[in-house]
């Protein structure tokens, strides 16, 4: 399976069955995830700057570990957005596996 197929499946693939939370608990989870999304945006910004500096120094060569982390972070953000928008009842990590 190609990396693109794996990523596509992780973002848009079948979601595991999840118990529906009451509206009060969902609100609490949504607030926590909103805070976590805010932090993840800051992490992504720092990662972007660091990766750009590395690419400047290394004649355009990216740091593969940072690129992979960015991919995982993006997938987490997509899953969090699906929960926040009620497209899915599956909560993102740390409540479920990161994949």
């Amino acid at each position: 399976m190609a990396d693109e197929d794996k990523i596509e499946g992780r973002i848009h693939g079948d979601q595991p069955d999840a118990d529906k939370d009451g509206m009060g608990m969902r609100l609490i989870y949504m607030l926590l995830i909103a805070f976590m999304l805010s932090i993840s945006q800051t992490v992504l910004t720092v990662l972007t700057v660091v990766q750009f500096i590395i690419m400047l120094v290394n004649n355009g060569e990216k740091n593969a570990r940072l690129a992979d982390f960015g991919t995982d972070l993006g997938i987490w953000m997509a899953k969090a957005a699906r929960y926040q928008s009620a497209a899915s009842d599956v909560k993102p990590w740390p409540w479920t596996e990161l994949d």
Side-chain angles (χ1 to χ4, degrees), residues 3 5 15 17 33-34 43 52 57 61 72-73 76 80-81 84 97:
D3 285 344
D5 294 334
Q15 296 290 305
D17 292 331
I33 292 170
V43 169
F52 184 76
V57 171
E61 288 293 319
D72 290 341
L73 181 62
W76 180 87
Q84 293 291 78
E97 291 295 317

Side-chain angles (χ1 to χ4, degrees), residues 14 31 37 45 57 79 85 90-91 94-95:
D14 293 333
L31 291 173
L37 276 167
T45 301
V57 171
K79 287 184 173 190
S85 65
V90 178
K91 293 179 270 315
W95 295 279

Side-chain angles (χ1 to χ4, degrees), residues 16-22 26 29 83 88-91:
D17 292 331
D19 295 332
K20 283 193 152 225
D21 296 317
R26 185 164 186 111
Y29 284 127
Y83 183 80
S88 172
D89 288 324
V90 178
K91 293 179 270 315

Side-chain angles (χ1 to χ4, degrees), residues 34-85:
F35 177 71
M36 293 168 72
L37 276 167
S38 175
I39 292 171
S40 68
Q41 182 63 45
T42 302
V43 169
L44 180 59
T45 301
V46 171
L47 177 126
T48 302
V49 171
V50 170
Q51 184 74 293
F52 184 76
I53 291 169
I54 288 171
M55 290 174 70
L56 277 177
V57 171
N58 291 332
N59 297 322
E61 288 293 319
K62 66 181 180 182
N63 180 298
R65 290 174 64 190
L66 283 179
D68 289 343
F69 176 74
T71 300
D72 290 341
L73 181 62
I75 290 167
W76 180 87
M77 292 172 84
K79 287 184 173 190
R82 286 177 77 174
Y83 183 80
Q84 293 291 78
S85 65

